Amino acid sequence: MRDPIHLLKDIDLTQARILELLELATQLKIAKKQGTERARLSRNNIALIFEKPSTRTRSAFEVAAQDQGAGVTYVDPASSHMGVSESVEDTARVLGRLYDGIAFRGFQQATVETLARYAGVPVWNALTDLWHPTQALADMLTMREHAGKPLTEVSVCYLGDGHNNVARSLLMTGALLGLDVRIAAPAVLHPDPAAVEAAAHAATRSGGHIMATDDIDSAVRGADFLYTDVWVSMGEPDSEWDARVEALRPFRIDANMLARTGNPKTQFLHCLPSVHDDTTTLGRHLHEQYGLNGVEVSDDVFRSPRSLVFEQAENRMHTIKAVLAMSLDPADRRTEGC
Ligand code: CP
Ligand code: NVA
């Protein structure tokens, strides 16, 4: 029996594996749109264990699995024993006997790694405190579709909390694929030095470039894409907001920030969810508290023709489907009839 093909963190990936996933996702996307997709995973069942809320990732796993004929069980924290009265190891051993693969979203990277160690089936990281690898795959596919040039010629500048999961995954996956990835953030919110070092090493091999800086103008100059994420991530205390707003205000993406790239074709990316207006409880609260209507991005940029956020969201599903196929379908059949 072959070893399970997990997706735990971007740093484990190779350039060849990412390109294979993007190609497979593209073929599966075309097949779905043409109505020619063939269900390859009909004898499979997957479990989604989510300790944190999700709109896109959960839906993407569910639709991807269902399109491919697989059964899905969603397990929320309140309805399982994991971590409360049953260890992660025991949970992994049990679910591994029932399911063909397990997606996990939660607070600690260590949990997804433990699941992978003991489940005996593929485990996929659906977001942890450190990494969000399925997001980065969708980001790469979206840039590849919309850049009008090869990814090795693309520059993307992420502005905001550069220390979070989305920034780390973007940096690492971008570096592996040879992109020019810039993280613009105050020094206290730069990615971990170890992540920067690993990305720099990958960029040396791929021909890419990486940069982590607090100098906004040098980071955004000429960028093909500006990317941002929420300023306080799930699992972080609300008390962080005061310091984050103060530190990150200069990094907010608005029309002026787009203009500062000097590139009239710069496009906008966001993993979502986004605080871009005051139609949500959080948006209203932050508007009242800090006078920001639209926090990490202004509403006009979010809704502008330069914004690719909903294309990105759709691509979560196509790329996750590729991940499921890569792990669960034998390699020689994967693209047959796509
Ligand atoms: N981008 C993302 O992971 O969205 P969800 O939190 O809705 O899954
Ligand atoms: N950095 C965000 C991403 C949400 C998709 C978080 O972890 O909450």
Side-chain angles (χ1 to χ4, degrees), residues 160-161 186 188-189 216 229-233 236-253 275 282-283 285-297:
D161 177 8
V188 288
L189 292 173
I216 295 172
D229 183 11
V230 289
W231 286 352
V232 175
S233 285
E236 295 188 310
D238 286 345
S239 55
E240 283 290 334
W241 273 108
D242 279 352
R244 292 285 165 88
V245 169
E246 189 179 338
L248 291 176
R249 258 181 210 274
F251 296 83
R252 178 176 189 260
I253 298 181
V275 191
L282 179 62
H285 168 71
L286 296 174
H287 190 186
E288 282 162 19
Q289 186 81 14
Y290 304 108
L292 282 172
N293 188 3
V295 178
E296 72 276 4
V297 58

Side-chain angles (χ1 to χ4, degrees), residues 43-106:
R43 285 185 300 280
N44 289 268
N45 290 291
I46 69 168
L48 311 180
I49 308 174
F50 277 39
E51 296 177 339
K52 291 176 173 175
S54 169
T55 298
R56 276 145 292 276
T57 312
R58 174 186 176 179
S59 309
F61 268 101
E62 294 209 13
V63 172
Q66 286 159 7
D67 280 352
Q68 284 291 305
V72 184
T73 305
Y74 177 75
V75 184
D76 72 39
S79 61
S80 99
H81 301 291
M82 190 176 87
V84 183
S85 57
E86 189 165 36
S87 67
V88 177
E89 175 182 339
D90 292 358
T91 307
R93 290 182 190 277
V94 171
L95 295 183
R97 285 169 179 254
L98 303 182
Y99 291 95
D100 302 288
I102 300 167
F104 171 78
R105 165 172 287 205

Side-chain angles (χ1 to χ4, degrees), residues 7-13 18 109 125-140 143 156 158 161-177 179 181 183 191-192 195-196 199 210 227 229 271:
L7 177 56
L8 303 180
K9 50 189 187 297
D10 307 68
I11 201 168
D12 295 339
L13 289 166
I18 302 167
Q109 179 68 19
N125 180 343
L127 179 148
T128 64
D129 54 339
L130 298 186
W131 302 95
H132 197 3
T134 62
Q135 180 67 53
L137 291 174
D139 300 341
M140 296 301 143
M143 287 191 277
V156 54
Y158 175 103
D161 177 8
H163 190 255
N164 77 13
N165 42 17
V166 168
R168 188 178 283 115
S169 286
L170 179 77
L171 178 69
M172 192 65 221
T173 297
L176 283 162
L177 287 189
L179 278 75
V181 188
I183 306 287
D192 277 343
V196 175
I210 66 144
Y227 194 135
D229 183 11
C271 57

